[in-house]
Amino acid sequence: ETGVTQTPRHLVMGMTNKKSLKCEQHLGHNAMYWYKQSAKKPLELMFVYSLEERVENNSVPSRFSPECPNSSHLFLHLHTLQPEDSALYLCASSQDSLVSDTQYFGPGTRLTVL
Amino acid sequence: GENVEQHPSTLSVQEGDSAVIKCTYSDSASNYFPWYKQELGKGPQLIIDIRSNVGEKKDQRIAVTLNKTAKHFSLHITETQPEDSAVYFCAAKKGGGFKTIFGAGTRLFVKA
């Protein structure tokens, strides 16, 4: 596969469940991002990893927990979410987070919290 | 705080007409301005970008203009086609930072 892939594409979970979103980039990039996309709102940056180190954490509730085991993979662990967390979660990557600006996005995971 | 205002939120044009989407940014240190197109069920895809040392850039039917003094930048699509129908996002980023600030998006409808 090429580009940025995300699994699952759709996820329905209850507020007491624990689930994880997975992102993989096949571009040889060093930086990876999680965004939340809600209807009629700008993309909200959640986390940034550069060379597997978290460099940005945008006041995201602790019920969202990122993990970056290597520069190709990024996870978002979810637990005790709220209905307002329902959204499209997008992963992106770039060559690095400071110098090269262009981000490449995956298709997203559509999350519904019941 | 930093923000990017994008207008209009919805735009409907006839096939063959031109479409213009405008954005204003607040942080004068911003120096990179990408535009993304998001089709249904897909993530945003970069369609064109411009850096602050350039006033205009064109790629076939798509062009972007930048006015640094006014902190405005615009996307121009000429000879629109039905497949141009999508949501378009503008964004602004400053060098040395991690954060790209996105506009709220413009839903473009091209009527055949």
mmCIF file of all heavy atoms in Angstrom, chain A residues 9 33 35 37 40-43 45 48 50 55-56 58 88 90 97-99 101-108, chain B residues 4 31-32 34 36 38 41-46 49 51 89 93-100 102-105:
data_model
loop_
_atom_site.group_PDB
_atom_site.id
_atom_site.type_symbol
_atom_site.label_atom_id
_atom_site.label_comp_id
_atom_site.label_asym_id
_atom_site.label_seq_id
_atom_site.Cartn_x
_atom_site.Cartn_y
_atom_site.Cartn_z
ATOM 1 N N ARG A 9 -12.014 1.836 9.414
ATOM 2 C CA ARG A 9 -12.588 3.006 8.746
ATOM 3 C C ARG A 9 -13.826 3.511 9.486
ATOM 4 O O ARG A 9 -14.129 4.696 9.439
ATOM 5 C CB ARG A 9 -12.953 2.645 7.305
ATOM 6 C CG ARG A 9 -11.758 2.329 6.424
ATOM 7 C CD ARG A 9 -10.857 3.562 6.202
ATOM 8 N NE ARG A 9 -11.623 4.722 5.775
ATOM 9 C CZ ARG A 9 -11.960 4.969 4.516
ATOM 10 N NH1 ARG A 9 -11.589 4.144 3.557
ATOM 11 N NH2 ARG A 9 -12.638 6.073 4.207
ATOM 12 N N TYR A 33 0.622 12.899 12.842
ATOM 13 C CA TYR A 33 -0.347 13.774 13.494
ATOM 14 C C TYR A 33 -1.683 13.062 13.672
ATOM 15 O O TYR A 33 -2.085 12.257 12.832
ATOM 16 C CB TYR A 33 -0.617 15.017 12.622
ATOM 17 C CG TYR A 33 0.606 15.756 12.123
ATOM 18 C CD1 TYR A 33 1.399 15.235 11.099
ATOM 19 C CD2 TYR A 33 0.958 17.005 12.656
ATOM 20 C CE1 TYR A 33 2.510 15.922 10.633
ATOM 21 C CE2 TYR A 33 2.064 17.689 12.196
ATOM 22 C CZ TYR A 33 2.836 17.151 11.178
ATOM 23 O OH TYR A 33 3.928 17.836 10.719
ATOM 24 N N TYR A 35 -5.697 14.355 14.070
ATOM 25 C CA TYR A 35 -6.638 15.460 14.017
ATOM 26 C C TYR A 35 -8.040 14.929 14.308
ATOM 27 O O TYR A 35 -8.374 13.798 13.955
ATOM 28 C CB TYR A 35 -6.690 16.087 12.622
ATOM 29 C CG TYR A 35 -5.518 16.949 12.246
ATOM 30 C CD1 TYR A 35 -4.393 16.399 11.624
ATOM 31 C CD2 TYR A 35 -5.536 18.325 12.475
ATOM 32 C CE1 TYR A 35 -3.331 17.199 11.245
ATOM 33 C CE2 TYR A 35 -4.479 19.127 12.098
ATOM 34 C CZ TYR A 35 -3.374 18.565 11.484
ATOM 35 O OH TYR A 35 -2.313 19.358 11.116
ATOM 36 N N GLN A 37 -11.962 15.838 13.256
ATOM 37 C CA GLN A 37 -12.764 16.633 12.325
ATOM 38 C C GLN A 37 -14.238 16.474 12.674
ATOM 39 O O GLN A 37 -14.810 15.396 12.533
ATOM 40 C CB GLN A 37 -12.522 16.211 10.869
ATOM 41 C CG GLN A 37 -13.233 17.109 9.864
ATOM 42 C CD GLN A 37 -12.926 16.773 8.414
ATOM 43 O OE1 GLN A 37 -12.765 15.606 8.049
ATOM 44 N NE2 GLN A 37 -12.811 17.788 7.574
ATOM 45 N N LYS A 40 -18.709 21.097 10.339
ATOM 46 C CA LYS A 40 -18.732 22.563 10.293
ATOM 47 C C LYS A 40 -17.744 23.221 11.243
ATOM 48 O O LYS A 40 -17.940 24.363 11.653
ATOM 49 C CB LYS A 40 -20.147 23.081 10.540
ATOM 50 C CG LYS A 40 -21.141 22.605 9.484
ATOM 51 C CD LYS A 40 -22.511 23.195 9.678
ATOM 52 C CE LYS A 40 -23.456 22.689 8.592
ATOM 53 N NZ LYS A 40 -24.833 23.222 8.743
ATOM 54 N N LYS A 41 -16.691 22.511 11.600
ATOM 55 C CA LYS A 41 -15.630 23.077 12.447
ATOM 56 C C LYS A 41 -14.298 22.850 11.770
ATOM 57 O O LYS A 41 -14.120 21.885 11.025
ATOM 58 C CB LYS A 41 -15.619 22.421 13.821
ATOM 59 C CG LYS A 41 -16.809 22.757 14.686
ATOM 60 C CD LYS A 41 -16.764 22.008 16.006
ATOM 61 C CE LYS A 41 -15.643 22.458 16.888
ATOM 62 N NZ LYS A 41 -15.654 21.802 18.219
ATOM 63 N N PRO A 42 -13.325 23.730 12.017
ATOM 64 C CA PRO A 42 -11.987 23.497 11.458
ATOM 65 C C PRO A 42 -11.370 22.234 12.039
ATOM 66 O O PRO A 42 -11.725 21.802 13.134
ATOM 67 C CB PRO A 42 -11.202 24.733 11.904
ATOM 68 C CG PRO A 42 -12.223 25.756 12.253
ATOM 69 C CD PRO A 42 -13.412 25.006 12.751
ATOM 70 N N LEU A 43 -10.451 21.680 11.288
ATOM 71 C CA LEU A 43 -9.686 20.540 11.788
ATOM 72 C C LEU A 43 -8.995 20.916 13.100
ATOM 73 O O LEU A 43 -8.371 21.973 13.197
ATOM 74 C CB LEU A 43 -8.621 20.130 10.772
ATOM 75 C CG LEU A 43 -9.092 19.360 9.548
ATOM 76 C CD1 LEU A 43 -7.982 19.269 8.523
ATOM 77 C CD2 LEU A 43 -9.541 17.968 9.939
ATOM 78 N N LEU A 45 -6.112 19.992 15.702
ATOM 79 C CA LEU A 45 -4.912 19.206 15.939
ATOM 80 C C LEU A 45 -4.951 18.641 17.355
ATOM 81 O O LEU A 45 -5.196 19.366 18.324
ATOM 82 C CB LEU A 45 -3.674 20.074 15.755
ATOM 83 C CG LEU A 45 -2.329 19.394 15.979
ATOM 84 C CD1 LEU A 45 -2.087 18.297 14.953
ATOM 85 C CD2 LEU A 45 -1.202 20.425 15.944
ATOM 86 N N VAL A 48 1.033 15.650 17.931
ATOM 87 C CA VAL A 48 2.076 15.595 16.911
ATOM 88 C C VAL A 48 3.234 14.780 17.462
ATOM 89 O O VAL A 48 3.649 14.988 18.612
ATOM 90 C CB VAL A 48 2.604 16.994 16.526
ATOM 91 C CG1 VAL A 48 3.674 16.878 15.439
ATOM 92 C CG2 VAL A 48 1.479 17.893 16.059
ATOM 93 N N SER A 50 7.212 13.678 16.399
ATOM 94 C CA SER A 50 8.346 13.857 15.514
ATOM 95 C C SER A 50 9.435 12.894 15.954
ATOM 96 O O SER A 50 9.859 12.943 17.121
ATOM 97 C CB SER A 50 8.864 15.293 15.564
ATOM 98 O OG SER A 50 10.007 15.449 14.747
ATOM 99 N N VAL A 55 5.549 15.979 20.437
ATOM 100 C CA VAL A 55 5.998 17.359 20.475
ATOM 101 C C VAL A 55 4.850 18.340 20.604
ATOM 102 O O VAL A 55 5.067 19.547 20.747
ATOM 103 C CB VAL A 55 6.837 17.710 19.220
ATOM 104 C CG1 VAL A 55 8.129 16.918 19.229
ATOM 105 C CG2 VAL A 55 6.070 17.445 17.942
ATOM 106 N N GLU A 56 3.630 17.856 20.525
ATOM 107 C CA GLU A 56 2.484 18.746 20.645
ATOM 108 C C GLU A 56 1.347 17.956 21.272
ATOM 109 O O GLU A 56 1.064 16.837 20.869
ATOM 110 C CB GLU A 56 2.049 19.257 19.269
ATOM 111 C CG GLU A 56 0.932 20.288 19.281
ATOM 112 C CD GLU A 56 1.423 21.695 19.497
ATOM 113 O OE1 GLU A 56 2.601 21.974 19.244
ATOM 114 O OE2 GLU A 56 0.622 22.552 19.924
ATOM 115 N N ASN A 58 -2.432 19.170 22.349
ATOM 116 C CA ASN A 58 -3.287 20.349 22.348
ATOM 117 C C ASN A 58 -4.424 20.285 23.348
ATOM 118 O O ASN A 58 -5.577 20.321 22.975
ATOM 119 C CB ASN A 58 -3.864 20.530 20.928
ATOM 120 C CG ASN A 58 -3.197 21.676 20.205
ATOM 121 O OD1 ASN A 58 -2.152 22.133 20.609
ATOM 122 N ND2 ASN A 58 -3.812 22.141 19.146
ATOM 123 N N LEU A 88 -14.840 12.398 12.855
ATOM 124 C CA LEU A 88 -13.891 11.731 11.957
ATOM 125 C C LEU A 88 -12.492 11.998 12.499
ATOM 126 O O LEU A 88 -12.116 13.153 12.702
ATOM 127 C CB LEU A 88 -14.029 12.272 10.542
ATOM 128 C CG LEU A 88 -13.139 11.632 9.474
ATOM 129 C CD1 LEU A 88 -13.552 10.184 9.207
ATOM 130 C CD2 LEU A 88 -13.168 12.436 8.169
ATOM 131 N N LEU A 90 -8.615 11.877 11.835
ATOM 132 C CA LEU A 90 -7.696 11.832 10.701
ATOM 133 C C LEU A 90 -6.265 11.735 11.188
ATOM 134 O O LEU A 90 -5.854 12.419 12.128
ATOM 135 C CB LEU A 90 -7.840 13.103 9.858
ATOM 136 C CG LEU A 90 -9.137 13.251 9.075
ATOM 137 C CD1 LEU A 90 -9.340 14.700 8.654
ATOM 138 C CD2 LEU A 90 -9.135 12.348 7.853
ATOM 139 N N SER A 97 8.252 17.722 11.084
ATOM 140 C CA SER A 97 7.205 18.632 11.536
ATOM 141 C C SER A 97 7.624 20.091 11.494
ATOM 142 O O SER A 97 6.810 20.971 11.639
ATOM 143 C CB SER A 97 6.768 18.270 12.954
ATOM 144 O OG SER A 97 7.888 18.228 13.799
ATOM 145 N N LEU A 98 8.913 20.363 11.289
ATOM 146 C CA LEU A 98 9.364 21.741 11.372
ATOM 147 C C LEU A 98 9.733 22.329 10.008
ATOM 148 O O LEU A 98 9.342 23.429 9.682
ATOM 149 C CB LEU A 98 10.582 21.841 12.299
ATOM 150 C CG LEU A 98 10.299 21.696 13.789
ATOM 151 C CD1 LEU A 98 11.590 21.735 14.582
ATOM 152 C CD2 LEU A 98 9.361 22.782 14.263
ATOM 153 N N VAL A 99 10.462 21.592 9.229
ATOM 154 C CA VAL A 99 11.008 22.151 7.993
ATOM 155 C C VAL A 99 10.068 21.931 6.820
ATOM 156 O O VAL A 99 9.691 22.866 6.126
ATOM 157 C CB VAL A 99 12.393 21.551 7.682
ATOM 158 C CG1 VAL A 99 12.905 22.080 6.348
ATOM 159 C CG2 VAL A 99 13.369 21.866 8.803
ATOM 160 N N ASP A 101 6.600 21.307 5.281
ATOM 161 C CA ASP A 101 5.294 21.673 5.796
ATOM 162 C C ASP A 101 4.148 20.805 5.321
ATOM 163 O O ASP A 101 3.125 20.745 5.973
ATOM 164 C CB ASP A 101 4.999 23.122 5.362
ATOM 165 C CG ASP A 101 6.102 24.072 5.769
ATOM 166 O OD1 ASP A 101 6.271 24.268 6.971
ATOM 167 O OD2 ASP A 101 6.784 24.584 4.869
ATOM 168 N N THR A 102 4.280 20.164 4.161
ATOM 169 C CA THR A 102 3.140 19.491 3.563
ATOM 170 C C THR A 102 2.763 18.246 4.343
ATOM 171 O O THR A 102 3.588 17.373 4.572
ATOM 172 C CB THR A 102 3.435 19.118 2.108
ATOM 173 O OG1 THR A 102 3.806 20.299 1.403
ATOM 174 C CG2 THR A 102 2.215 18.500 1.456
ATOM 175 N N GLN A 103 1.502 18.180 4.731
ATOM 176 C CA GLN A 103 0.976 17.012 5.431
ATOM 177 C C GLN A 103 0.135 16.183 4.473
ATOM 178 O O GLN A 103 -0.619 16.723 3.676
ATOM 179 C CB GLN A 103 0.137 17.452 6.630
ATOM 180 C CG GLN A 103 0.959 18.151 7.700
ATOM 181 C CD GLN A 103 0.132 18.603 8.874
ATOM 182 O OE1 GLN A 103 -0.914 18.032 9.181
ATOM 183 N NE2 GLN A 103 0.593 19.627 9.555
ATOM 184 N N TYR A 104 0.261 14.877 4.610
ATOM 185 C CA TYR A 104 -0.497 13.943 3.798
ATOM 186 C C TYR A 104 -1.439 13.184 4.727
ATOM 187 O O TYR A 104 -1.008 12.602 5.724
ATOM 188 C CB TYR A 104 0.443 12.981 3.061
ATOM 189 C CG TYR A 104 1.335 13.700 2.085
ATOM 190 C CD1 TYR A 104 2.529 14.285 2.506
ATOM 191 C CD2 TYR A 104 0.977 13.833 0.752
ATOM 192 C CE1 TYR A 104 3.347 14.973 1.617
ATOM 193 C CE2 TYR A 104 1.788 14.518 -0.139
ATOM 194 C CZ TYR A 104 2.964 15.080 0.300
ATOM 195 O OH TYR A 104 3.763 15.761 -0.579
ATOM 196 N N PHE A 105 -2.720 13.202 4.377
ATOM 197 C CA PHE A 105 -3.746 12.653 5.258
ATOM 198 C C PHE A 105 -4.172 11.244 4.847
ATOM 199 O O PHE A 105 -4.184 10.892 3.674
ATOM 200 C CB PHE A 105 -4.990 13.547 5.244
ATOM 201 C CG PHE A 105 -4.817 14.825 6.009
ATOM 202 C CD1 PHE A 105 -4.254 15.948 5.404
ATOM 203 C CD2 PHE A 105 -5.225 14.921 7.337
ATOM 204 C CE1 PHE A 105 -4.089 17.129 6.101
ATOM 205 C CE2 PHE A 105 -5.072 16.105 8.045
ATOM 206 C CZ PHE A 105 -4.506 17.206 7.433
ATOM 207 N N GLY A 106 -4.573 10.475 5.856
ATOM 208 C CA GLY A 106 -5.239 9.208 5.621
ATOM 209 C C GLY A 106 -6.729 9.435 5.399
ATOM 210 O O GLY A 106 -7.204 10.566 5.465
ATOM 211 N N PRO A 107 -7.491 8.360 5.161
ATOM 212 C CA PRO A 107 -8.922 8.492 4.878
ATOM 213 C C PRO A 107 -9.773 8.738 6.111
ATOM 214 O O PRO A 107 -10.940 9.107 5.988
ATOM 215 C CB PRO A 107 -9.281 7.142 4.244
ATOM 216 C CG PRO A 107 -8.291 6.204 4.824
ATOM 217 C CD PRO A 107 -7.032 6.981 5.005
ATOM 218 N N GLY A 108 -9.198 8.525 7.291
ATOM 219 C CA GLY A 108 -9.943 8.785 8.517
ATOM 220 C C GLY A 108 -10.667 7.570 9.073
ATOM 221 O O GLY A 108 -10.933 6.596 8.361
ATOM 222 N N VAL B 4 -7.801 31.072 11.202
ATOM 223 C CA VAL B 4 -7.960 31.272 9.766
ATOM 224 C C VAL B 4 -9.455 31.331 9.475
ATOM 225 O O VAL B 4 -10.187 30.398 9.811
ATOM 226 C CB VAL B 4 -7.299 30.128 8.959
ATOM 227 C CG1 VAL B 4 -7.625 30.270 7.487
ATOM 228 C CG2 VAL B 4 -5.792 30.121 9.183
ATOM 229 N N ASN B 31 3.925 31.547 6.965
ATOM 230 C CA ASN B 31 4.653 31.664 5.696
ATOM 231 C C ASN B 31 4.381 30.518 4.736
ATOM 232 O O ASN B 31 5.012 30.405 3.690
ATOM 233 C CB ASN B 31 6.161 31.769 5.967
ATOM 234 C CG ASN B 31 6.718 30.555 6.675
ATOM 235 O OD1 ASN B 31 6.006 29.594 6.938
ATOM 236 N ND2 ASN B 31 7.997 30.596 7.006
ATOM 237 N N TYR B 32 3.447 29.650 5.094
ATOM 238 C CA TYR B 32 3.112 28.518 4.213
ATOM 239 C C TYR B 32 1.607 28.357 4.212
ATOM 240 O O TYR B 32 0.976 28.307 5.278
ATOM 241 C CB TYR B 32 3.805 27.244 4.693
ATOM 242 C CG TYR B 32 3.419 26.013 3.916
ATOM 243 C CD1 TYR B 32 3.761 25.877 2.565
ATOM 244 C CD2 TYR B 32 2.710 24.978 4.510
ATOM 245 C CE1 TYR B 32 3.401 24.753 1.844
ATOM 246 C CE2 TYR B 32 2.342 23.852 3.796
ATOM 247 C CZ TYR B 32 2.689 23.740 2.473
ATOM 248 O OH TYR B 32 2.341 22.619 1.754
ATOM 249 N N PRO B 34 -1.258 26.027 2.454
ATOM 250 C CA PRO B 34 -1.732 24.932 1.595
ATOM 251 C C PRO B 34 -3.240 24.975 1.434
ATOM 252 O O PRO B 34 -3.969 25.504 2.282
ATOM 253 C CB PRO B 34 -1.312 23.686 2.380
ATOM 254 C CG PRO B 34 -1.372 24.119 3.807
ATOM 255 C CD PRO B 34 -1.033 25.600 3.826
ATOM 256 N N TYR B 36 -6.438 22.208 0.621
ATOM 257 C CA TYR B 36 -6.779 20.792 0.563
ATOM 258 C C TYR B 36 -8.184 20.616 0.010
ATOM 259 O O TYR B 36 -9.069 21.441 0.238
ATOM 260 C CB TYR B 36 -6.717 20.162 1.958
ATOM 261 C CG TYR B 36 -5.309 19.994 2.511
ATOM 262 C CD1 TYR B 36 -4.688 21.024 3.213
ATOM 263 C CD2 TYR B 36 -4.613 18.802 2.332
ATOM 264 C CE1 TYR B 36 -3.401 20.861 3.727
ATOM 265 C CE2 TYR B 36 -3.330 18.642 2.850
ATOM 266 C CZ TYR B 36 -2.743 19.673 3.535
ATOM 267 O OH TYR B 36 -1.473 19.503 4.040
ATOM 268 N N GLN B 38 -11.291 17.786 0.039
ATOM 269 C CA GLN B 38 -11.761 16.582 0.708
ATOM 270 C C GLN B 38 -13.038 16.097 0.037
ATOM 271 O O GLN B 38 -14.071 16.767 0.089
ATOM 272 C CB GLN B 38 -11.995 16.825 2.198
ATOM 273 C CG GLN B 38 -12.334 15.553 2.968
ATOM 274 C CD GLN B 38 -12.392 15.773 4.464
ATOM 275 O OE1 GLN B 38 -12.611 16.886 4.937
ATOM 276 N NE2 GLN B 38 -12.196 14.720 5.238
ATOM 277 N N GLY B 41 -15.941 10.621 2.115
ATOM 278 C CA GLY B 41 -15.343 9.351 2.511
ATOM 279 C C GLY B 41 -13.833 9.302 2.409
ATOM 280 O O GLY B 41 -13.225 8.244 2.577
ATOM 281 N N LYS B 42 -13.218 10.445 2.148
ATOM 282 C CA LYS B 42 -11.760 10.474 2.007
ATOM 283 C C LYS B 42 -11.161 11.536 2.924
ATOM 284 O O LYS B 42 -11.849 12.419 3.412
ATOM 285 C CB LYS B 42 -11.376 10.781 0.558
ATOM 286 C CG LYS B 42 -11.826 9.725 -0.444
ATOM 287 C CD LYS B 42 -11.341 10.068 -1.837
ATOM 288 C CE LYS B 42 -11.765 9.013 -2.845
ATOM 289 N NZ LYS B 42 -11.296 9.327 -4.220
ATOM 290 N N GLY B 43 -9.856 11.432 3.142
ATOM 291 C CA GLY B 43 -9.161 12.463 3.888
ATOM 292 C C GLY B 43 -8.816 13.638 2.988
ATOM 293 O O GLY B 43 -8.880 13.528 1.751
ATOM 294 N N PRO B 44 -8.451 14.767 3.566
ATOM 295 C CA PRO B 44 -8.058 15.931 2.752
ATOM 296 C C PRO B 44 -6.818 15.619 1.909
ATOM 297 O O PRO B 44 -5.890 14.969 2.382
ATOM 298 C CB PRO B 44 -7.727 16.992 3.809
ATOM 299 C CG PRO B 44 -8.454 16.556 5.040
ATOM 300 C CD PRO B 44 -8.450 15.062 4.994
ATOM 301 N N GLN B 45 -6.845 16.089 0.664
ATOM 302 C CA GLN B 45 -5.718 15.895 -0.242
ATOM 303 C C GLN B 45 -5.186 17.258 -0.681
ATOM 304 O O GLN B 45 -5.959 18.122 -1.089
ATOM 305 C CB GLN B 45 -6.148 15.083 -1.466
ATOM 306 C CG GLN B 45 -6.701 13.705 -1.139
ATOM 307 C CD GLN B 45 -5.671 12.797 -0.486
ATOM 308 O OE1 GLN B 45 -4.571 12.617 -0.978
ATOM 309 N NE2 GLN B 45 -6.042 12.211 0.644
ATOM 310 N N LEU B 46 -3.881 17.443 -0.605
ATOM 311 C CA LEU B 46 -3.279 18.702 -1.021
ATOM 312 C C LEU B 46 -3.493 18.924 -2.515
ATOM 313 O O LEU B 46 -3.242 18.024 -3.322
ATOM 314 C CB LEU B 46 -1.780 18.678 -0.731
ATOM 315 C CG LEU B 46 -1.015 19.945 -1.096
ATOM 316 C CD1 LEU B 46 -1.306 21.040 -0.090
ATOM 317 C CD2 LEU B 46 0.480 19.677 -1.173
ATOM 318 N N ASP B 49 -0.259 24.707 -3.034
ATOM 319 C CA ASP B 49 0.214 25.449 -1.880
ATOM 320 C C ASP B 49 1.043 26.632 -2.350
ATOM 321 O O ASP B 49 1.474 26.700 -3.513
ATOM 322 C CB ASP B 49 1.012 24.562 -0.911
ATOM 323 C CG ASP B 49 2.196 23.862 -1.592
ATOM 324 O OD1 ASP B 49 2.571 24.227 -2.724
ATOM 325 O OD2 ASP B 49 2.741 22.925 -0.979
ATOM 326 N N ARG B 51 3.996 29.719 -0.803
ATOM 327 C CA ARG B 51 4.821 30.220 0.290
ATOM 328 C C ARG B 51 4.848 31.738 0.244
ATOM 329 O O ARG B 51 4.559 32.340 -0.781
ATOM 330 C CB ARG B 51 6.226 29.625 0.211
ATOM 331 C CG ARG B 51 6.191 28.115 0.341
ATOM 332 C CD ARG B 51 7.533 27.448 0.441
ATOM 333 N NE ARG B 51 7.356 25.993 0.428
ATOM 334 C CZ ARG B 51 7.112 25.268 1.510
ATOM 335 N NH1 ARG B 51 7.033 25.850 2.689
ATOM 336 N NH2 ARG B 51 6.960 23.964 1.427
ATOM 337 N N PHE B 89 -10.403 23.202 1.993
ATOM 338 C CA PHE B 89 -9.885 23.807 3.216
ATOM 339 C C PHE B 89 -8.639 24.628 2.894
ATOM 340 O O PHE B 89 -7.737 24.151 2.199
ATOM 341 C CB PHE B 89 -9.482 22.745 4.237
ATOM 342 C CG PHE B 89 -10.622 21.943 4.776
ATOM 343 C CD1 PHE B 89 -10.982 20.738 4.196
ATOM 344 C CD2 PHE B 89 -11.340 22.398 5.877
ATOM 345 C CE1 PHE B 89 -12.038 19.987 4.688
ATOM 346 C CE2 PHE B 89 -12.403 21.652 6.383
ATOM 347 C CZ PHE B 89 -12.749 20.448 5.786
ATOM 348 N N LYS B 93 0.505 28.135 8.138
ATOM 349 C CA LYS B 93 1.501 27.583 9.057
ATOM 350 C C LYS B 93 2.711 28.512 9.068
ATOM 351 O O LYS B 93 3.078 29.079 8.050
ATOM 352 C CB LYS B 93 1.923 26.187 8.595
ATOM 353 C CG LYS B 93 2.908 25.479 9.520
ATOM 354 C CD LYS B 93 3.236 24.104 8.985
ATOM 355 C CE LYS B 93 4.136 23.328 9.945
ATOM 356 N NZ LYS B 93 5.490 23.919 10.018
ATOM 357 N N LYS B 94 3.315 28.652 10.219
ATOM 358 C CA LYS B 94 4.548 29.428 10.290
ATOM 359 C C LYS B 94 5.738 28.500 10.433
ATOM 360 O O LYS B 94 5.628 27.415 10.992
ATOM 361 C CB LYS B 94 4.505 30.439 11.429
ATOM 362 C CG LYS B 94 4.235 29.868 12.801
ATOM 363 C CD LYS B 94 4.099 31.013 13.811
ATOM 364 C CE LYS B 94 3.760 30.474 15.192
ATOM 365 N NZ LYS B 94 3.526 31.583 16.159
ATOM 366 N N GLY B 95 6.851 28.933 9.908
ATOM 367 C CA GLY B 95 8.037 28.112 9.930
ATOM 368 C C GLY B 95 8.528 27.882 11.351
ATOM 369 O O GLY B 95 8.381 28.750 12.213
ATOM 370 N N GLY B 96 9.088 26.693 11.592
ATOM 371 C CA GLY B 96 9.628 26.385 12.905
ATOM 372 C C GLY B 96 8.591 25.941 13.906
ATOM 373 O O GLY B 96 8.922 25.650 15.048
ATOM 374 N N GLY B 97 7.341 25.883 13.509
ATOM 375 C CA GLY B 97 6.285 25.445 14.423
ATOM 376 C C GLY B 97 5.685 24.137 13.956
ATOM 377 O O GLY B 97 5.911 23.693 12.844
ATOM 378 N N PHE B 98 4.929 23.514 14.808
ATOM 379 C CA PHE B 98 4.335 22.218 14.483
ATOM 380 C C PHE B 98 2.898 22.335 14.005
ATOM 381 O O PHE B 98 2.357 21.396 13.456
ATOM 382 C CB PHE B 98 4.353 21.323 15.716
ATOM 383 C CG PHE B 98 5.723 21.082 16.261
ATOM 384 C CD1 PHE B 98 6.158 21.737 17.410
ATOM 385 C CD2 PHE B 98 6.589 20.207 15.639
ATOM 386 C CE1 PHE B 98 7.423 21.521 17.915
ATOM 387 C CE2 PHE B 98 7.858 19.986 16.143
ATOM 388 C CZ PHE B 98 8.279 20.645 17.281
ATOM 389 N N LYS B 99 2.294 23.479 14.237
ATOM 390 C CA LYS B 99 0.852 23.558 14.087
ATOM 391 C C LYS B 99 0.460 24.205 12.761
ATOM 392 O O LYS B 99 0.949 25.265 12.393
ATOM 393 C CB LYS B 99 0.274 24.384 15.231
ATOM 394 C CG LYS B 99 -1.237 24.341 15.332
ATOM 395 C CD LYS B 99 -1.725 25.158 16.534
ATOM 396 C CE LYS B 99 -1.304 24.546 17.846
ATOM 397 N NZ LYS B 99 -1.940 25.255 18.999
ATOM 398 N N THR B 100 -0.443 23.548 12.039
ATOM 399 C CA THR B 100 -1.084 24.119 10.862
ATOM 400 C C THR B 100 -2.498 24.491 11.266
ATOM 401 O O THR B 100 -3.227 23.674 11.821
ATOM 402 C CB THR B 100 -1.108 23.114 9.697
ATOM 403 O OG1 THR B 100 0.239 22.780 9.345
ATOM 404 C CG2 THR B 100 -1.823 23.683 8.490
ATOM 405 N N PHE B 102 -6.234 25.428 10.251
ATOM 406 C CA PHE B 102 -7.136 25.212 9.120
ATOM 407 C C PHE B 102 -8.350 26.125 9.197
ATOM 408 O O PHE B 102 -8.837 26.452 10.285
ATOM 409 C CB PHE B 102 -7.618 23.754 9.096
ATOM 410 C CG PHE B 102 -6.567 22.776 8.665
ATOM 411 C CD1 PHE B 102 -5.628 22.289 9.571
ATOM 412 C CD2 PHE B 102 -6.506 22.339 7.352
ATOM 413 C CE1 PHE B 102 -4.660 21.382 9.173
ATOM 414 C CE2 PHE B 102 -5.534 21.431 6.951
ATOM 415 C CZ PHE B 102 -4.612 20.961 7.868
ATOM 416 N N GLY B 103 -8.854 26.512 8.031
ATOM 417 C CA GLY B 103 -10.144 27.162 7.950
ATOM 418 C C GLY B 103 -11.254 26.136 8.135
ATOM 419 O O GLY B 103 -11.002 24.926 8.167
ATOM 420 N N ALA B 104 -12.482 26.620 8.259
ATOM 421 C CA ALA B 104 -13.620 25.742 8.548
ATOM 422 C C ALA B 104 -14.122 24.999 7.318
ATOM 423 O O ALA B 104 -14.949 24.104 7.443
ATOM 424 C CB ALA B 104 -14.756 26.541 9.179
ATOM 425 N N GLY B 105 -13.637 25.366 6.127
ATOM 426 C CA GLY B 105 -14.007 24.638 4.920
ATOM 427 C C GLY B 105 -15.079 25.329 4.098
ATOM 428 O O GLY B 105 -15.908 26.079 4.626
#
